[in-house]
């Protein structure tokens, strides 16, 4: 053993304080964006069966949820509406009295310190459950842009701080930017779901938001999980069209894509830690098969290590508590 030459990496792992000194990646409460589901009606707080700990709430119960977030130090939310009426063209998505618009107004009035991100899509509002205008079984790109732009402008009018379009039509960033600018909202940023895969990990969300497609699937507009270079093309066009943030979604199976997007573009990068990724951990933890706290912190940290600046996650409240315990 005498002449053996090797490196002693363990020198930097000897004690807690030494490990803290050399830690490369930090998860902060400011990194977290919490998704909320708001539905019409009163006094409602429905547990989402496939997402333990997540509820759909009515407007009057929203403040309870917002107070909890504020107490925990989570400062951003992304709002999803669950309307009671749907039609072919998603009319409820772009009404000033729509559930999302009313929720945004409520949060901005009662909780002005929170940043409100509006998810901008049509699938919860259309009777066919697709994210755009449908004709002869196809999702028509350019006509969908008009509706998505109307939706974005109405959300900005209601007071949204950030517009987050998720419908994956080509040109949605260009269309929304122009729509917002023309309506006087040139200060409102666009957080684009730039790289969004057609993923089985969205299953539980569709229970929560009642947004499953009623025929077919979303593969003619969301991306093929097999493709990496296509992600660069998607992100590139959104950057050119004027996006202010880029989202990669889902997160865990796409950390390689996240790193590539991070290295090539210089906008804040957002990981969407989606519903299926949440539910799988909740289910395993409920069975006592994994340590929930450790696994949640490990996976959120891995998203940041892969390049995410921010994380949209249903674990935001849990993570804020864990951060307090550190
Ligand atoms: C709407 C939308 C979806 C999600 C966010 N926005 C569903 C979908 O595209 O089918 C999924 C979020 C999640 O699974 O947590 N287009």
């Amino acid at each position: 053993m005498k002449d053996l030459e090797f490196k002693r990496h363990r020198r930097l792992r000897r004690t807690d304080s030494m490990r803290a000194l050399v830690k490369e990646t930090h998860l902060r409460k400011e990194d977290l964006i919490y998704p909320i589901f708001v539905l019409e009606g009163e006094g409602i707080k429905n547990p989402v069966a496939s997402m333990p700990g997540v509820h759909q709430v009515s407007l009057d119960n929203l403040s309870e949820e917002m107070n909890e977030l504020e107490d925990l130090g989570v400062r951003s939310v992304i709002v999803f509406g669950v309307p009671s009426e749907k039609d072919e063209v998603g009319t409820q998505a772009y009404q000033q009295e729509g559930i999302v618009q009313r929720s945004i107004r409520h949060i901005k009035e009662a909780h002005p310190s929170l940043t409100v991100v509006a998810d901008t899509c049509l699938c919860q509002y259309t009777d066919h459950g697709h994210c755009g205008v449908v004709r002869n079984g196809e999702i028509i790109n350019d006509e969908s842009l008009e509706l998505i732009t109307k939706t974005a402008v109405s959300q900005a009018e209601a007071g949204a701080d950030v517009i987050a379009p998720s419908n994956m039509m080509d040109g949605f960033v260009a269309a929304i930017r122009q729509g917002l600018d023309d309506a006087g909202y040139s200060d409102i940023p666009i957080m684009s779901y730039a790289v969004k895969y057609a993923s089985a990990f969205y299953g539980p969300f569709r229970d929560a938001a009642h947004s499953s497609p009623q025929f077919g699937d979303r593969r003619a507009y969301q991306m093929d999980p097999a493709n990496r270079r296509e992600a660069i093309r998607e992100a590139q066009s959104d950057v050119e069209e004027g996006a202010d943030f880029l989202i990669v979604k889902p997160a865990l199976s796409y950390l390689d894509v996240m790193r590539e997007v991070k290295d090539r573009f210089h906008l804040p990068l957002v990981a969407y830690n989606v519903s299926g990724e949440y539910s799988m951990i909740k289910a395993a933890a409920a069975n006592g098969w994994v340590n929930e706290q450790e696994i949640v912190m490990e996976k959120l940290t891995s998203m940041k290590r892969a390049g995410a600046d921010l994380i949209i996650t249903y674990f935001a409240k849990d993570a804020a508590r864990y951060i307090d315990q550190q």
Side-chain angles (χ1 to χ4, degrees):
M1 291 278 126
K2 228 177 130 220
D3 300 325
L4 212 55
E5 273 192 36
F6 57 88
K7 301 274 186 226
R8 294 206 177 268
H9 302 290
R10 290 182 54 191
R11 282 176 194 140
L12 301 186
R13 296 179 201 142
R14 276 181 53 231
T15 63
D16 243 1
S17 62
M18 181 70 82
R19 289 189 288 270
L21 273 182
V22 298
K23 191 188 272 299
E24 297 177 34
T25 308
H26 299 271
L27 182 69
R28 311 171 313 149
K29 293 182 182 184
E30 290 82 355
D31 302 333
L32 305 169
I33 303 173
Y34 186 66
I36 53 170
F37 299 98
V38 194
L39 79 184
E40 314 264 5
E42 265 177 46
I44 304 171
K45 189 173 176 187
N46 284 340
V48 177
S50 54
M51 301 177 72
V54 174
H55 297 85
Q56 302 169 317
V57 297
S58 52
L59 211 56
D60 54 331
N61 280 338
L62 206 49
S63 269
E64 187 188 319
E65 185 110 73
M66 297 302 108
N67 287 336
E68 191 185 352
L69 289 168
E70 287 184 308
D71 290 346
L72 286 166
V74 176
R75 299 167 61 183
S76 306
V77 293
I78 179 164
V79 187
F80 294 95
V82 187
S84 43
E85 279 172 48
K86 298 177 189 249
D87 63 21
E88 213 183 334
V89 290
T91 306
Q92 284 305 314
Y94 35 87
Q95 301 304 312
Q96 241 356 276
E97 288 310 308
I99 185 67
V100 158
Q101 288 77 2
R102 282 191 288 146
S103 306
I104 295 169
R105 279 200 297 273
H106 172 83
I107 301 170
K108 290 312 296 181
E109 272 164 32
H111 310 270
S113 72
L114 294 175
T115 294
V116 178
V117 183
D119 178 87
T120 308
C121 199
L122 300 175
C123 59
Q124 295 105 283
Y125 306 90
T126 51
D127 50 16
H128 45 71
H130 278 287
C131 306
V133 174
V134 172
R135 192 160 313 122
N136 302 326
E138 294 215 19
I139 290 73
I140 314 290
N141 198 84
D142 299 14
E143 286 174 42
S144 304
L145 291 182
E146 287 172 31
L147 298 186
I148 204 81
T149 300
K150 254 165 90 168
T151 305
V153 170
S154 76
Q155 292 170 335
E157 214 173 299
D161 297 298
V162 181
I163 298 298
S166 62
N167 79 338
M168 285 301 277
M169 295 300 119
D170 289 330
F172 67 25
V173 175
I176 290 174
R177 187 68 271 159
Q178 192 183 77
L180 289 174
D181 291 352
D182 288 351
Y185 299 108
S186 52
D187 285 343
I188 300 297
I190 297 175
M191 181 184 282
S192 174
Y193 287 71
V195 179
K196 180 173 177 181
Y197 288 92
S199 172
F201 286 98
Y202 306 153
F205 172 93
R206 292 180 189 168
D207 284 350
H210 302 165
S211 66
S212 295
Q214 298 303 301
F215 68 89
D217 53 43
R218 303 206 202 288
R219 285 183 295 175
Y221 45 107
Q222 299 181 349
M223 286 171 55
D224 183 342
N227 293 356
R228 192 173 62 161
R229 281 175 304 168
E230 191 183 356
I232 306 301
R233 299 200 294 276
E234 277 283 0
Q236 173 95 43
S237 60
D238 283 10
V239 170
E240 286 164 6
E241 290 173 30
D244 299 281
F245 300 79
L246 298 173
I247 302 180
V248 172
K249 177 183 174 194
L252 272 190
S253 295
Y254 300 88
L255 296 180
D256 55 332
V257 175
M258 222 175 277
R259 171 48 59 191
E260 289 230 26
V261 172
K262 175 72 165 198
D263 287 346
R264 275 173 214 248
F265 305 101
H266 304 289
L267 295 177
L269 180 63
V270 187
Y272 197 136
N273 174 210
V274 301
S275 57
E277 298 172 336
Y278 174 85
S279 302
M280 290 193 306
I281 287 182
K282 284 288 178 187
N287 277 298
W289 295 336
V290 294
N291 177 318
E292 184 170 348
Q293 173 161 357
E294 287 177 6
I295 223 163
V296 167
M297 291 306 275
E298 182 174 335
K299 74 178 217 159
L300 295 178
T301 302
S302 73
M303 290 167 207
K304 290 214 66 187
R305 193 196 61 229
D309 299 294
L310 307 173
I311 307 173
I312 302 172
T313 179
Y314 307 95
F315 284 116
K317 290 185 204 167
D318 298 318
R321 283 189 202 102
Y322 301 153
I323 289 170
D324 282 336
Q325 288 166 23
Q326 276 174 348

